[in-house]
Amino acid sequence: MFKGFFAIAALLAAVFFVPASYAASRCDVNVPTERVDLQQVSLAYQSIGRASDPALLLVMGLGGQLIHWPDEVVVALCQQGFRVIRYDNRDVGLSTWRQAPADANLTFEVLRYKLGLPVAAPYSLTDMADDALGLMDALHVEQFHVLGASMGGMIAQHMAAMAPQRVESLTLIMTSSGAEGLPAPSAALVQLLSRRGAPNRQIALEQQADLLAALGSPTVTDDRQMLLHQAALSYDRAFNPEGVKRQIMAILAEPSRVALLNQLRVPTLVVHGTADPLLPVMHGVHLAAHIRGSQLRLIPGLAHRFQEAFKEPLLAAVLPYLREHREDTSHWAQIEPVAEHNLL
């Protein structure tokens, strides 16, 4: 099962002349989870690799915790010579859980969204991008690469617009421009995604396993016990369904980012699956079409999860790109931040 993955890892080790024992110790994912206190939130994070290496920030999607970045993927990224930083967004994991206003109601806001009316949210994706930039400030990292998945890719787009002199490259996986008219997820999947309340641990695990299965590729048969195990790891570390609802509202309140994307000049790779049930493949195609000079990699059969069967193709798409841009800062010349307030 892992033969192809280890072949890639061995090849990369040979290319970079990194002794296996040294790489293993330098890229230990079992480092302590640390915390930084920012003005608005406290963020939990892990830093894997040497502080002197180029930094790669991983930004997770809706409801995802830092543990949802597969360890073997993190190790592979670290072995490219990166300091890999993964963290919990606000309202998930061990980071700050926000309190919604008393009148915040996800069902009501979803209805407004479907009617094309403005959506109110306790915070925005721009706020979450500011959290990530604040984390890098606290770690004294001036320039860095960003890899965002799903909602994390949306946050990453804002980071590149807000601080283009700091973002050396952008890798956007299974995400979207947020433009109107793109294919919508199925109603059944949306219902599973919003089904966050549970009276006890077992029901919560069953619900999460159902969602993971629905987000998976139709070409792969998931083991139910494995899905339940993954759900248990997440639940036992932190379970905050109300926080996920607030993140959903932040996504729904977000206008199209097309004007923002048209102004980006950060080197960008867009990776999307042809079997994505949440953000169908045209989301990735459309996203790449609006970022000048971006590269697009479509992975047959990939859905909206980091499934074992697709780790090798994902790494094959991402690693060469990151290796190419690890030390490249040529795009910084005469770049100015995108004025987001003029894009609406």
Side-chain angles (χ1 to χ4, degrees), residues 140-174:
H140 306 290
V141 179
E142 184 59 29
Q143 280 89 30
F144 48 90
H145 303 261
V146 182
L147 190 160
S150 195
M151 181 190 73
M154 302 173 193
I155 294 169
Q157 293 165 42
H158 282 293
M159 293 179 67
M162 294 161 67
Q165 293 281 8
R166 302 183 67 183
V167 177
E168 298 184 76
S169 76
L170 199 57
T171 302
L172 305 174
I173 300 177
M174 57 185 74

Side-chain angles (χ1 to χ4, degrees), residues 38-68:
L38 307 179
Q39 186 174 2
Q40 299 293 327
V41 296
S42 177
L43 298 181
Y45 74 94
Q46 286 183 325
S47 177
I48 298 100
R50 296 176 302 194
S52 58
D53 287 336
L56 171 62
L57 180 67
L58 306 183
V59 190
M60 181 44 74
L62 175 68
Q65 303 179 43
L66 66 82
I67 61 172
H68 292 134

Side-chain angles (χ1 to χ4, degrees), residues 62 188-196 205-216 224 227 278 305:
L62 175 68
L189 183 54
V190 171
Q191 184 177 11
L192 286 173
L193 193 63
S194 60
R195 189 181 62 174
R196 292 287 173 171
L205 299 190
E206 295 288 349
Q207 289 180 354
Q208 182 65 9
D210 290 343
L211 176 60
L212 290 173
L215 291 172
R224 182 71 178 184
L227 295 181
L278 183 64
R305 269 178 50 216

Side-chain angles (χ1 to χ4, degrees), residues 105-116 119 190 194 248-249 252:
N105 185 300
L106 177 59
T107 302
F108 176 70
E109 299 303 335
V110 168
L111 178 59
R112 290 183 61 85
Y113 176 79
K114 290 181 177 180
L115 293 174
V119 173
V190 171
S194 60
I248 292 174
M249 285 189 276
L252 296 182

Side-chain angles (χ1 to χ4, degrees), residues 83-104:
R83 174 192 184 184
V84 181
I85 299 166
R86 55 181 177 177
Y87 73 103
D88 293 329
N89 282 307
R90 63 166 70 186
D91 256 338
V92 298
L94 306 182
S95 291
T96 298
W97 295 3
R98 307 296 291 179
Q99 294 297 317
D103 59 350

